[in-house]
Amino acid sequence: GHAHGGLGKVKVENETAYQDIASVVAVSGQYVTVENYVEAKHDLHIFKIGDFYRAIICSHCCDCRRPSVTGQWKSPGSGQTSVVEEVPVLDRYKLWIDKVAEMFGGLTICSLEAVVGKDDSEHIIEVNDCAMNLLGDTMDEDRKMIADLVLAKLQSLQTGLNSMTKW
């Protein structure tokens, strides 16, 4: 259903467990999605703020797919910190985030999250509009870019309104 943040997720390891959880879902009145479990190396976050792009890898984040210190498969556990590292924005990352922005009507601010498997396969798991989690040492810089972008848009709209009222 509409659960998020790791809630409502179940890791099913075999056919019997799948049948058990299928029977629970059948009486819940909710929908279910099924996806392969990816043994992950790290998570990848790609951000687009206007014409600026940023890529960050994260060894543990809010919905990571690797076991945590606590052994929990869907979250790193309370009190654990993430290891965050900015990485170059590869051409394919820029293509992905530009396509996401385009798919949703030309978003100016958006992000996507991916899981990078131990085999280096990349799996996009989530896209976000401006309701995105900023990460790492660049959070303040990113917030300022977002604020500047919003202010510029508001000023542009105000200028447009002012010119319309003159005639």
Side-chain angles (χ1 to χ4, degrees), residues 63-144:
D63 191 24
C64 67
R65 302 198 171 213
R66 20 243 149 275
S68 67
V69 174
T70 64
Q72 171 72 291
W73 68 270
K74 59 183 165 181
S75 67
S78 62
Q80 185 172 339
T81 58
S82 298
V83 178
V84 176
E85 176 187 354
E86 187 168 0
V87 294
V89 179
L90 303 178
D91 288 341
R92 72 176 174 275
Y93 299 165
K94 190 172 179 183
L95 175 68
W96 294 350
I97 197 71
D98 284 342
K99 290 294 183 186
V100 165
E102 183 182 312
M103 284 173 39
F104 293 99
L107 295 175
T108 305
I109 302 169
C110 58
S111 70
L112 70 79
E113 297 175 30
V115 172
V116 178
K118 289 185 178 180
D119 63 354
D120 290 324
S121 60
E122 297 165 320
H123 308 268
I124 297 172
I125 61 169
E126 184 175 341
V127 297
N128 296 290
D129 57 9
C130 61
M132 57 191 183
N133 290 327
L134 301 175
L135 300 168
D137 295 336
T138 60
M139 283 190 294
D140 290 338
E141 178 185 342
D142 293 343
R143 284 187 189 107
K144 182 172 179 356

